[in-house]
Amino acid sequence: MPEDHAAARIKLEREVRGWSTVKLAEEMAAAGHPINQSAIWRIESGKPRRRVNLDEALGFCQVFDITMQDLTGPPGELATPRVRELAQTYVQMTLEYRQLRAAIDRNQMHLREIQMELDAYGDKGPEQRGQVDELLRLEERAAMRNLHPSQARRRNQGQPPADE
């Protein structure tokens, strides 16, 4: 049974990473455990299945960053396509979230810098403060008009917005 579990886990780990058998063979060679692509295929799918030797098993553990127990134990729920799909989606969305969070953080920092400059200009006197406030109101109204769906539809059709 451990041989069958290892074969299933090797295939699972390779597929989760989106690797071909060629890519896995390259990763194994880079880790100092060379094995050719056809041997990997025979381990995963051969009839009869090719056995995994100890050096290869250690290499698979290293490349996949799993323990020998993980490699030879029953794959369990990890092998179900739905769980693999969920795990892949979760990781992808987490990475996207981190990228968006970093962009939001950069945006906030930039906004603080702009606010400081606007405040410095407005601090010169009530007339300058009024100019900044009025300019911000005008810019916000213009931006909101540009976001309104009816305006976007008119722009896409090459027509000027209704209030112009």
Side-chain angles (χ1 to χ4, degrees), residues 39-150:
I40 294 170
W41 183 88
R42 287 192 318 271
I43 289 168
E44 293 179 356
S45 307
K47 303 281 187 224
R49 190 175 308 236
R50 180 186 175 283
R51 296 179 65 108
V52 178
N53 68 40
L54 182 58
D55 183 63
E56 293 164 347
L58 292 171
F60 287 123
C61 290
Q62 182 180 348
V63 166
F64 295 138
D65 193 26
I66 60 176
T67 67
M68 187 65 75
Q69 185 175 354
D70 289 338
L71 181 68
T72 59
E77 289 299 308
L78 284 176
T80 66
R82 178 65 181 151
V83 172
R84 284 188 300 199
E85 177 187 347
L86 289 171
Q88 185 178 21
T89 302
Y90 180 87
V91 168
Q92 181 180 353
M93 291 181 78
T94 299
L95 293 174
E96 289 173 12
Y97 171 81
R98 289 178 185 155
Q99 290 172 344
L100 290 170
R101 185 75 239 169
I104 289 169
D105 291 344
R106 285 189 303 274
N107 183 283
Q108 285 178 328
M109 185 172 53
H110 193 70
L111 282 171
R112 281 191 294 271
E113 292 168 357
I114 292 169
Q115 183 68 51
M116 288 173 54
E117 283 190 56
L118 289 172
D119 287 345
Y121 181 79
D123 288 345
K124 291 180 180 179
E127 185 177 323
Q128 287 82 358
R129 172 58 58 201
Q131 289 173 351
V132 168
D133 292 344
E134 182 62 21
L135 185 57
L136 288 173
R137 276 193 296 279
L138 289 172
E139 289 293 333
E140 187 173 352
R141 267 191 295 207
M144 293 306 290
R145 275 195 312 267
N146 288 334
L147 292 177
H148 191 274
S150 66

Side-chain angles (χ1 to χ4, degrees), residues 9-36 40 44 52 54-68 70-71:
R9 187 61 182 260
I10 291 165
K11 184 174 185 176
L12 171 69
E13 294 290 339
R14 179 181 61 75
E15 288 176 344
V16 164
R17 288 165 177 76
W19 292 354
S20 65
T21 53
V22 172
K23 171 70 172 161
L24 178 53
E26 291 169 356
E27 293 293 324
M28 289 285 287
H33 301 274
I35 183 173
N36 66 43
I40 294 170
E44 293 179 356
V52 178
L54 182 58
D55 183 63
E56 293 164 347
L58 292 171
F60 287 123
C61 290
Q62 182 180 348
V63 166
F64 295 138
D65 193 26
I66 60 176
T67 67
M68 187 65 75
D70 289 338
L71 181 68

